[in-house]
Amino acid sequence: MTDKLRRIGILTGGGDCPGLNAVIRAVVKTAAYDHGIDVIGIENGFEGLIRDRCRPLSTGDVSGILARGGTILGTSNKDNPFRVPIRENGETVYRDLSEEAIRIAKRHGIQLLITVGGDGSLSIARDLGSRGLKVIGVPKTIDNDLDATDVTFGFDSALAVATEAIDRLHTTAQSHQRIMVIEVMGRYAGWIALQAGLAGGADAILIPEIPFQIEKVAESIGDRIYSGRSFAIVVVAEGAAPAGGSMSVRDMIADSPDPVRLGGIGNIVAGQLEKLLDRETRTTVLGHVQRGGIPTPTDRMLGTRFGAHAVKAAVAGENEVMVRLRGQVVETVPLSEAVAKLRRVDPEGELVRTARSLHTTFGI
């Protein structure tokens, strides 16, 4: 296979996260040094494949990027070759340009496309694979919600940011005898909220997997306050919702593969707790700061391992697979299996049980 595979492409799709550059660097260096393979970088995710924004990547291009956040290729969470918005006669219509995207890839001599992304980007890669373009996926998401891998790179960095924020809020909460609500990312999976809440000593953790009752949250925090501890920390995932209610939707983006933009649940929870407890409450929304900045050593290592293994899998002739971590081993799994379902928090799992044993409430 080595003598046949001469050129591969790589793109980064979906939201950015720390560790993307580690993957790009590992792909380029492994391809060049171990196999003599050229790498073509595709800019701004699948938009680059649709608009023909491709450029060669040399080992010099990836020198010094290991510790940099973001992605040197750029990214987009809107573009889907199978549903491209086009203005016609003053209206927006959607066209399937997947065949044109594949033709552009072939025009650049790309024999296999490495797609680095979450469930949305990897689903697009799977569909392109079904049209004849060889693809290998690399899992990326700070939400850590891809079921086929034990962990995704980007999660550890986001977790570190969220935990540090909780640590900082502790001191000001204690100084002012306030309830501090911190809203973290996590649309459909509460891994950041759960683990940051545990690591930061939160008094309440609200996650999408466990619909909460605000009265139960207030009752638990009230018990804490009445026992002499004058402040509290509440960690809320952006996708958390009250029992019988729905997620707090900030906006809808019509031309995005996932149009829902969440936000606001932190302010809602804070306002309700302030009324129920008659205690000054403040909200901090971390937002995109969780996705920015330098990657942790863990994410640099995982991104590097994933990138190197993706090239090795390509050289070995694998196709329509995703690299993953199982235990201590990096291996591959069929893309169809990789995007089949999300990895969500088990409400009865060990981490939730641990939090409950520390008298942390989930609002139930």
PDB file of all heavy atoms in Angstrom, residues 281-317:
ATOM      1  N   THR A 281     -26.970  36.089  44.101  1.00  0.00           N
ATOM      2  CA  THR A 281     -26.484  35.050  43.192  1.00  0.00           C
ATOM      3  C   THR A 281     -25.887  35.693  41.956  1.00  0.00           C
ATOM      4  O   THR A 281     -26.405  36.677  41.436  1.00  0.00           O
ATOM      5  CB  THR A 281     -27.646  34.118  42.777  1.00  0.00           C
ATOM      6  OG1 THR A 281     -28.299  33.622  43.952  1.00  0.00           O
ATOM      7  CG2 THR A 281     -27.138  32.942  41.967  1.00  0.00           C
ATOM      8  N   ARG A 282     -24.779  35.136  41.491  1.00  0.00           N
ATOM      9  CA  ARG A 282     -24.108  35.639  40.293  1.00  0.00           C
ATOM     10  C   ARG A 282     -23.867  34.488  39.313  1.00  0.00           C
ATOM     11  O   ARG A 282     -23.702  33.336  39.710  1.00  0.00           O
ATOM     12  CB  ARG A 282     -22.767  36.296  40.659  1.00  0.00           C
ATOM     13  CG  ARG A 282     -22.894  37.582  41.450  1.00  0.00           C
ATOM     14  CD  ARG A 282     -23.416  38.715  40.560  1.00  0.00           C
ATOM     15  NE  ARG A 282     -23.453  39.972  41.276  1.00  0.00           N
ATOM     16  CZ  ARG A 282     -24.479  40.428  41.966  1.00  0.00           C
ATOM     17  NH1 ARG A 282     -25.568  39.668  42.065  1.00  0.00           N
ATOM     18  NH2 ARG A 282     -24.444  41.605  42.563  1.00  0.00           N
ATOM     19  N   THR A 283     -23.835  34.842  38.027  1.00  0.00           N
ATOM     20  CA  THR A 283     -23.619  33.842  36.977  1.00  0.00           C
ATOM     21  C   THR A 283     -22.347  34.143  36.206  1.00  0.00           C
ATOM     22  O   THR A 283     -22.087  35.297  35.853  1.00  0.00           O
ATOM     23  CB  THR A 283     -24.795  33.842  35.981  1.00  0.00           C
ATOM     24  OG1 THR A 283     -26.018  33.686  36.684  1.00  0.00           O
ATOM     25  CG2 THR A 283     -24.644  32.705  34.974  1.00  0.00           C
ATOM     26  N   THR A 284     -21.583  33.098  35.929  1.00  0.00           N
ATOM     27  CA  THR A 284     -20.428  33.189  35.033  1.00  0.00           C
ATOM     28  C   THR A 284     -20.626  32.179  33.912  1.00  0.00           C
ATOM     29  O   THR A 284     -20.827  30.998  34.173  1.00  0.00           O
ATOM     30  CB  THR A 284     -19.115  32.886  35.778  1.00  0.00           C
ATOM     31  OG1 THR A 284     -18.917  33.858  36.803  1.00  0.00           O
ATOM     32  CG2 THR A 284     -17.931  32.923  34.819  1.00  0.00           C
ATOM     33  N   VAL A 285     -20.596  32.669  32.680  1.00  0.00           N
ATOM     34  CA  VAL A 285     -20.735  31.795  31.512  1.00  0.00           C
ATOM     35  C   VAL A 285     -19.366  31.680  30.845  1.00  0.00           C
ATOM     36  O   VAL A 285     -18.853  32.657  30.297  1.00  0.00           O
ATOM     37  CB  VAL A 285     -21.773  32.354  30.516  1.00  0.00           C
ATOM     38  CG1 VAL A 285     -21.904  31.415  29.314  1.00  0.00           C
ATOM     39  CG2 VAL A 285     -23.126  32.548  31.201  1.00  0.00           C
ATOM     40  N   LEU A 286     -18.791  30.493  30.890  1.00  0.00           N
ATOM     41  CA  LEU A 286     -17.438  30.321  30.341  1.00  0.00           C
ATOM     42  C   LEU A 286     -17.428  30.376  28.818  1.00  0.00           C
ATOM     43  O   LEU A 286     -16.500  30.906  28.206  1.00  0.00           O
ATOM     44  CB  LEU A 286     -16.842  29.002  30.814  1.00  0.00           C
ATOM     45  CG  LEU A 286     -16.385  28.950  32.270  1.00  0.00           C
ATOM     46  CD1 LEU A 286     -15.629  27.654  32.515  1.00  0.00           C
ATOM     47  CD2 LEU A 286     -15.520  30.140  32.636  1.00  0.00           C
ATOM     48  N   GLY A 287     -18.429  29.805  28.180  1.00  0.00           N
ATOM     49  CA  GLY A 287     -18.518  29.893  26.730  1.00  0.00           C
ATOM     50  C   GLY A 287     -17.268  29.397  26.017  1.00  0.00           C
ATOM     51  O   GLY A 287     -16.664  28.384  26.375  1.00  0.00           O
ATOM     52  N   HIS A 288     -16.845  30.168  25.005  1.00  0.00           N
ATOM     53  CA  HIS A 288     -15.782  29.711  24.122  1.00  0.00           C
ATOM     54  C   HIS A 288     -14.401  29.738  24.749  1.00  0.00           C
ATOM     55  O   HIS A 288     -13.446  29.207  24.159  1.00  0.00           O
ATOM     56  CB  HIS A 288     -15.785  30.547  22.835  1.00  0.00           C
ATOM     57  CG  HIS A 288     -16.973  30.255  21.962  1.00  0.00           C
ATOM     58  ND1 HIS A 288     -18.221  30.754  22.219  1.00  0.00           N
ATOM     59  CD2 HIS A 288     -17.095  29.484  20.859  1.00  0.00           C
ATOM     60  CE1 HIS A 288     -19.061  30.326  21.303  1.00  0.00           C
ATOM     61  NE2 HIS A 288     -18.409  29.550  20.465  1.00  0.00           N
ATOM     62  N   VAL A 289     -14.268  30.328  25.941  1.00  0.00           N
ATOM     63  CA  VAL A 289     -12.956  30.288  26.592  1.00  0.00           C
ATOM     64  C   VAL A 289     -12.546  28.839  26.860  1.00  0.00           C
ATOM     65  O   VAL A 289     -11.357  28.514  26.926  1.00  0.00           O
ATOM     66  CB  VAL A 289     -12.977  31.116  27.901  1.00  0.00           C
ATOM     67  CG1 VAL A 289     -13.805  30.430  28.982  1.00  0.00           C
ATOM     68  CG2 VAL A 289     -11.559  31.350  28.418  1.00  0.00           C
ATOM     69  N   GLN A 290     -13.528  27.932  26.965  1.00  0.00           N
ATOM     70  CA  GLN A 290     -13.219  26.516  27.182  1.00  0.00           C
ATOM     71  C   GLN A 290     -12.580  25.872  25.955  1.00  0.00           C
ATOM     72  O   GLN A 290     -11.926  24.840  26.064  1.00  0.00           O
ATOM     73  CB  GLN A 290     -14.505  25.752  27.537  1.00  0.00           C
ATOM     74  CG  GLN A 290     -15.119  26.173  28.847  1.00  0.00           C
ATOM     75  CD  GLN A 290     -16.583  25.777  28.933  1.00  0.00           C
ATOM     76  OE1 GLN A 290     -16.914  24.716  29.442  1.00  0.00           O
ATOM     77  NE2 GLN A 290     -17.465  26.616  28.418  1.00  0.00           N
ATOM     78  N   ARG A 291     -12.815  26.452  24.783  1.00  0.00           N
ATOM     79  CA  ARG A 291     -12.279  25.882  23.548  1.00  0.00           C
ATOM     80  C   ARG A 291     -10.964  26.541  23.141  1.00  0.00           C
ATOM     81  O   ARG A 291     -10.315  26.081  22.202  1.00  0.00           O
ATOM     82  CB  ARG A 291     -13.290  26.056  22.407  1.00  0.00           C
ATOM     83  CG  ARG A 291     -14.577  25.312  22.637  1.00  0.00           C
ATOM     84  CD  ARG A 291     -15.234  24.838  21.379  1.00  0.00           C
ATOM     85  NE  ARG A 291     -15.348  25.808  20.323  1.00  0.00           N
ATOM     86  CZ  ARG A 291     -16.447  26.009  19.610  1.00  0.00           C
ATOM     87  NH1 ARG A 291     -17.545  25.337  19.910  1.00  0.00           N
ATOM     88  NH2 ARG A 291     -16.473  26.872  18.624  1.00  0.00           N
ATOM     89  N   GLY A 292     -10.607  27.629  23.795  1.00  0.00           N
ATOM     90  CA  GLY A 292      -9.428  28.371  23.372  1.00  0.00           C
ATOM     91  C   GLY A 292      -8.197  28.057  24.212  1.00  0.00           C
ATOM     92  O   GLY A 292      -8.239  27.313  25.181  1.00  0.00           O
ATOM     93  N   GLY A 293      -7.081  28.651  23.794  1.00  0.00           N
ATOM     94  CA  GLY A 293      -5.849  28.528  24.562  1.00  0.00           C
ATOM     95  C   GLY A 293      -5.049  27.287  24.227  1.00  0.00           C
ATOM     96  O   GLY A 293      -5.412  26.481  23.368  1.00  0.00           O
ATOM     97  N   ILE A 294      -3.935  27.152  24.920  1.00  0.00           N
ATOM     98  CA  ILE A 294      -3.014  26.059  24.636  1.00  0.00           C
ATOM     99  C   ILE A 294      -3.567  24.728  25.148  1.00  0.00           C
ATOM    100  O   ILE A 294      -4.261  24.685  26.160  1.00  0.00           O
ATOM    101  CB  ILE A 294      -1.624  26.329  25.241  1.00  0.00           C
ATOM    102  CG1 ILE A 294      -1.702  26.370  26.783  1.00  0.00           C
ATOM    103  CG2 ILE A 294      -1.027  27.621  24.714  1.00  0.00           C
ATOM    104  CD1 ILE A 294      -0.357  26.480  27.454  1.00  0.00           C
ATOM    105  N   PRO A 295      -3.284  23.648  24.457  1.00  0.00           N
ATOM    106  CA  PRO A 295      -3.745  22.333  24.917  1.00  0.00           C
ATOM    107  C   PRO A 295      -2.920  21.833  26.093  1.00  0.00           C
ATOM    108  O   PRO A 295      -1.741  22.151  26.226  1.00  0.00           O
ATOM    109  CB  PRO A 295      -3.546  21.439  23.692  1.00  0.00           C
ATOM    110  CG  PRO A 295      -2.447  22.091  22.909  1.00  0.00           C
ATOM    111  CD  PRO A 295      -2.583  23.568  23.150  1.00  0.00           C
ATOM    112  N   THR A 296      -3.551  21.052  26.941  1.00  0.00           N
ATOM    113  CA  THR A 296      -2.839  20.403  28.027  1.00  0.00           C
ATOM    114  C   THR A 296      -1.888  19.345  27.459  1.00  0.00           C
ATOM    115  O   THR A 296      -2.056  18.899  26.313  1.00  0.00           O
ATOM    116  CB  THR A 296      -3.814  19.718  28.993  1.00  0.00           C
ATOM    117  OG1 THR A 296      -4.551  18.710  28.268  1.00  0.00           O
ATOM    118  CG2 THR A 296      -4.778  20.720  29.612  1.00  0.00           C
ATOM    119  N   PRO A 297      -0.901  18.922  28.242  1.00  0.00           N
ATOM    120  CA  PRO A 297      -0.039  17.831  27.772  1.00  0.00           C
ATOM    121  C   PRO A 297      -0.822  16.580  27.369  1.00  0.00           C
ATOM    122  O   PRO A 297      -0.473  15.916  26.391  1.00  0.00           O
ATOM    123  CB  PRO A 297       0.867  17.557  28.979  1.00  0.00           C
ATOM    124  CG  PRO A 297       0.955  18.874  29.676  1.00  0.00           C
ATOM    125  CD  PRO A 297      -0.414  19.488  29.521  1.00  0.00           C
ATOM    126  N   THR A 298      -1.893  16.284  28.101  1.00  0.00           N
ATOM    127  CA  THR A 298      -2.714  15.117  27.767  1.00  0.00           C
ATOM    128  C   THR A 298      -3.301  15.239  26.370  1.00  0.00           C
ATOM    129  O   THR A 298      -3.277  14.287  25.576  1.00  0.00           O
ATOM    130  CB  THR A 298      -3.843  14.949  28.793  1.00  0.00           C
ATOM    131  OG1 THR A 298      -3.272  14.643  30.066  1.00  0.00           O
ATOM    132  CG2 THR A 298      -4.798  13.834  28.391  1.00  0.00           C
ATOM    133  N   ASP A 299      -3.826  16.415  26.026  1.00  0.00           N
ATOM    134  CA  ASP A 299      -4.419  16.601  24.705  1.00  0.00           C
ATOM    135  C   ASP A 299      -3.371  16.661  23.606  1.00  0.00           C
ATOM    136  O   ASP A 299      -3.615  16.227  22.477  1.00  0.00           O
ATOM    137  CB  ASP A 299      -5.281  17.864  24.685  1.00  0.00           C
ATOM    138  CG  ASP A 299      -6.648  17.631  25.317  1.00  0.00           C
ATOM    139  OD1 ASP A 299      -7.067  16.463  25.392  1.00  0.00           O
ATOM    140  OD2 ASP A 299      -7.291  18.609  25.736  1.00  0.00           O
ATOM    141  N   ARG A 300      -2.207  17.197  23.916  1.00  0.00           N
ATOM    142  CA  ARG A 300      -1.126  17.190  22.915  1.00  0.00           C
ATOM    143  C   ARG A 300      -0.713  15.753  22.592  1.00  0.00           C
ATOM    144  O   ARG A 300      -0.522  15.396  21.428  1.00  0.00           O
ATOM    145  CB  ARG A 300       0.091  17.958  23.436  1.00  0.00           C
ATOM    146  CG  ARG A 300      -0.157  19.421  23.704  1.00  0.00           C
ATOM    147  CD  ARG A 300       1.106  20.101  24.176  1.00  0.00           C
ATOM    148  NE  ARG A 300       0.795  21.292  24.957  1.00  0.00           N
ATOM    149  CZ  ARG A 300       1.688  22.141  25.422  1.00  0.00           C
ATOM    150  NH1 ARG A 300       2.978  21.934  25.194  1.00  0.00           N
ATOM    151  NH2 ARG A 300       1.320  23.194  26.130  1.00  0.00           N
ATOM    152  N   MET A 301      -0.592  14.946  23.640  1.00  0.00           N
ATOM    153  CA  MET A 301      -0.199  13.550  23.428  1.00  0.00           C
ATOM    154  C   MET A 301      -1.274  12.778  22.669  1.00  0.00           C
ATOM    155  O   MET A 301      -0.987  12.043  21.718  1.00  0.00           O
ATOM    156  CB  MET A 301       0.059  12.892  24.786  1.00  0.00           C
ATOM    157  CG  MET A 301       1.377  13.291  25.433  1.00  0.00           C
ATOM    158  SD  MET A 301       2.785  12.640  24.511  1.00  0.00           S
ATOM    159  CE  MET A 301       2.515  10.883  24.678  1.00  0.00           C
ATOM    160  N   LEU A 302      -2.535  12.944  23.074  1.00  0.00           N
ATOM    161  CA  LEU A 302      -3.610  12.195  22.433  1.00  0.00           C
ATOM    162  C   LEU A 302      -3.776  12.618  20.977  1.00  0.00           C
ATOM    163  O   LEU A 302      -3.939  11.771  20.088  1.00  0.00           O
ATOM    164  CB  LEU A 302      -4.922  12.405  23.203  1.00  0.00           C
ATOM    165  CG  LEU A 302      -6.101  11.526  22.771  1.00  0.00           C
ATOM    166  CD1 LEU A 302      -5.741  10.043  22.875  1.00  0.00           C
ATOM    167  CD2 LEU A 302      -7.332  11.848  23.619  1.00  0.00           C
ATOM    168  N   GLY A 303      -3.731  13.924  20.704  1.00  0.00           N
ATOM    169  CA  GLY A 303      -3.814  14.391  19.334  1.00  0.00           C
ATOM    170  C   GLY A 303      -2.681  13.854  18.480  1.00  0.00           C
ATOM    171  O   GLY A 303      -2.874  13.460  17.322  1.00  0.00           O
ATOM    172  N   THR A 304      -1.486  13.823  19.052  1.00  0.00           N
ATOM    173  CA  THR A 304      -0.322  13.298  18.332  1.00  0.00           C
ATOM    174  C   THR A 304      -0.493  11.813  18.027  1.00  0.00           C
ATOM    175  O   THR A 304      -0.232  11.353  16.908  1.00  0.00           O
ATOM    176  CB  THR A 304       0.949  13.531  19.163  1.00  0.00           C
ATOM    177  OG1 THR A 304       1.159  14.942  19.331  1.00  0.00           O
ATOM    178  CG2 THR A 304       2.168  12.920  18.485  1.00  0.00           C
ATOM    179  N   ARG A 305      -0.944  11.063  19.010  1.00  0.00           N
ATOM    180  CA  ARG A 305      -1.148   9.627  18.807  1.00  0.00           C
ATOM    181  C   ARG A 305      -2.224   9.359  17.763  1.00  0.00           C
ATOM    182  O   ARG A 305      -2.073   8.486  16.891  1.00  0.00           O
ATOM    183  CB  ARG A 305      -1.524   8.961  20.132  1.00  0.00           C
ATOM    184  CG  ARG A 305      -0.419   8.973  21.175  1.00  0.00           C
ATOM    185  CD  ARG A 305      -0.909   8.440  22.517  1.00  0.00           C
ATOM    186  NE  ARG A 305      -1.184   7.012  22.457  1.00  0.00           N
ATOM    187  CZ  ARG A 305      -1.804   6.336  23.447  1.00  0.00           C
ATOM    188  NH1 ARG A 305      -2.236   6.981  24.520  1.00  0.00           N
ATOM    189  NH2 ARG A 305      -2.009   5.041  23.327  1.00  0.00           N
ATOM    190  N   PHE A 306      -3.308  10.114  17.827  1.00  0.00           N
ATOM    191  CA  PHE A 306      -4.387   9.941  16.853  1.00  0.00           C
ATOM    192  C   PHE A 306      -3.906  10.266  15.441  1.00  0.00           C
ATOM    193  O   PHE A 306      -4.205   9.547  14.485  1.00  0.00           O
ATOM    194  CB  PHE A 306      -5.568  10.835  17.218  1.00  0.00           C
ATOM    195  CG  PHE A 306      -6.479  10.282  18.285  1.00  0.00           C
ATOM    196  CD1 PHE A 306      -7.523  11.049  18.786  1.00  0.00           C
ATOM    197  CD2 PHE A 306      -6.308   9.011  18.796  1.00  0.00           C
ATOM    198  CE1 PHE A 306      -8.377  10.549  19.759  1.00  0.00           C
ATOM    199  CE2 PHE A 306      -7.142   8.496  19.776  1.00  0.00           C
ATOM    200  CZ  PHE A 306      -8.195   9.275  20.252  1.00  0.00           C
ATOM    201  N   GLY A 307      -3.189  11.378  15.289  1.00  0.00           N
ATOM    202  CA  GLY A 307      -2.717  11.779  13.965  1.00  0.00           C
ATOM    203  C   GLY A 307      -1.772  10.774  13.356  1.00  0.00           C
ATOM    204  O   GLY A 307      -1.887  10.412  12.174  1.00  0.00           O
ATOM    205  N   ALA A 308      -0.803  10.309  14.153  1.00  0.00           N
ATOM    206  CA  ALA A 308       0.163   9.325  13.659  1.00  0.00           C
ATOM    207  C   ALA A 308      -0.534   8.022  13.277  1.00  0.00           C
ATOM    208  O   ALA A 308      -0.230   7.412  12.247  1.00  0.00           O
ATOM    209  CB  ALA A 308       1.237   9.069  14.718  1.00  0.00           C
ATOM    210  N   HIS A 309      -1.499   7.601  14.104  1.00  0.00           N
ATOM    211  CA  HIS A 309      -2.178   6.331  13.826  1.00  0.00           C
ATOM    212  C   HIS A 309      -3.072   6.443  12.596  1.00  0.00           C
ATOM    213  O   HIS A 309      -3.238   5.459  11.844  1.00  0.00           O
ATOM    214  CB  HIS A 309      -3.003   5.881  15.028  1.00  0.00           C
ATOM    215  CG  HIS A 309      -3.412   4.439  14.966  1.00  0.00           C
ATOM    216  ND1 HIS A 309      -2.614   3.407  15.414  1.00  0.00           N
ATOM    217  CD2 HIS A 309      -4.534   3.848  14.466  1.00  0.00           C
ATOM    218  CE1 HIS A 309      -3.216   2.254  15.217  1.00  0.00           C
ATOM    219  NE2 HIS A 309      -4.396   2.497  14.641  1.00  0.00           N
ATOM    220  N   ALA A 310      -3.651   7.626  12.365  1.00  0.00           N
ATOM    221  CA  ALA A 310      -4.487   7.810  11.181  1.00  0.00           C
ATOM    222  C   ALA A 310      -3.683   7.574   9.907  1.00  0.00           C
ATOM    223  O   ALA A 310      -4.163   6.941   8.952  1.00  0.00           O
ATOM    224  CB  ALA A 310      -5.097   9.212  11.178  1.00  0.00           C
ATOM    225  N   VAL A 311      -2.449   8.076   9.880  1.00  0.00           N
ATOM    226  CA  VAL A 311      -1.595   7.868   8.711  1.00  0.00           C
ATOM    227  C   VAL A 311      -1.230   6.388   8.572  1.00  0.00           C
ATOM    228  O   VAL A 311      -1.273   5.826   7.470  1.00  0.00           O
ATOM    229  CB  VAL A 311      -0.322   8.727   8.805  1.00  0.00           C
ATOM    230  CG1 VAL A 311       0.635   8.407   7.646  1.00  0.00           C
ATOM    231  CG2 VAL A 311      -0.680  10.212   8.794  1.00  0.00           C
ATOM    232  N   LYS A 312      -0.889   5.758   9.675  1.00  0.00           N
ATOM    233  CA  LYS A 312      -0.538   4.336   9.620  1.00  0.00           C
ATOM    234  C   LYS A 312      -1.719   3.497   9.130  1.00  0.00           C
ATOM    235  O   LYS A 312      -1.544   2.539   8.367  1.00  0.00           O
ATOM    236  CB  LYS A 312      -0.075   3.869  10.996  1.00  0.00           C
ATOM    237  CG  LYS A 312       1.243   4.503  11.438  1.00  0.00           C
ATOM    238  CD  LYS A 312       1.607   4.116  12.867  1.00  0.00           C
ATOM    239  CE  LYS A 312       2.893   4.812  13.313  1.00  0.00           C
ATOM    240  NZ  LYS A 312       3.246   4.527  14.727  1.00  0.00           N
ATOM    241  N   ALA A 313      -2.934   3.862   9.567  1.00  0.00           N
ATOM    242  CA  ALA A 313      -4.111   3.135   9.100  1.00  0.00           C
ATOM    243  C   ALA A 313      -4.320   3.346   7.605  1.00  0.00           C
ATOM    244  O   ALA A 313      -4.682   2.412   6.874  1.00  0.00           O
ATOM    245  CB  ALA A 313      -5.348   3.597   9.877  1.00  0.00           C
ATOM    246  N   ALA A 314      -4.077   4.571   7.133  1.00  0.00           N
ATOM    247  CA  ALA A 314      -4.212   4.856   5.705  1.00  0.00           C
ATOM    248  C   ALA A 314      -3.227   4.033   4.887  1.00  0.00           C
ATOM    249  O   ALA A 314      -3.576   3.449   3.854  1.00  0.00           O
ATOM    250  CB  ALA A 314      -4.005   6.351   5.450  1.00  0.00           C
ATOM    251  N   VAL A 315      -1.987   3.982   5.344  1.00  0.00           N
ATOM    252  CA  VAL A 315      -0.951   3.223   4.644  1.00  0.00           C
ATOM    253  C   VAL A 315      -1.283   1.730   4.636  1.00  0.00           C
ATOM    254  O   VAL A 315      -0.997   1.015   3.667  1.00  0.00           O
ATOM    255  CB  VAL A 315       0.422   3.480   5.296  1.00  0.00           C
ATOM    256  CG1 VAL A 315       1.477   2.519   4.749  1.00  0.00           C
ATOM    257  CG2 VAL A 315       0.854   4.924   5.082  1.00  0.00           C
ATOM    258  N   ALA A 316      -1.919   1.268   5.697  1.00  0.00           N
ATOM    259  CA  ALA A 316      -2.282  -0.150   5.788  1.00  0.00           C
ATOM    260  C   ALA A 316      -3.500  -0.491   4.936  1.00  0.00           C
ATOM    261  O   ALA A 316      -3.909  -1.659   4.870  1.00  0.00           O
ATOM    262  CB  ALA A 316      -2.547  -0.528   7.236  1.00  0.00           C
ATOM    263  N   GLY A 317      -4.086   0.523   4.285  1.00  0.00           N
ATOM    264  CA  GLY A 317      -5.210   0.263   3.402  1.00  0.00           C
ATOM    265  C   GLY A 317      -6.572   0.376   4.059  1.00  0.00           C
ATOM    266  O   GLY A 317      -7.592   0.046   3.454  1.00  0.00           O
TER     267      GLY A 317
END
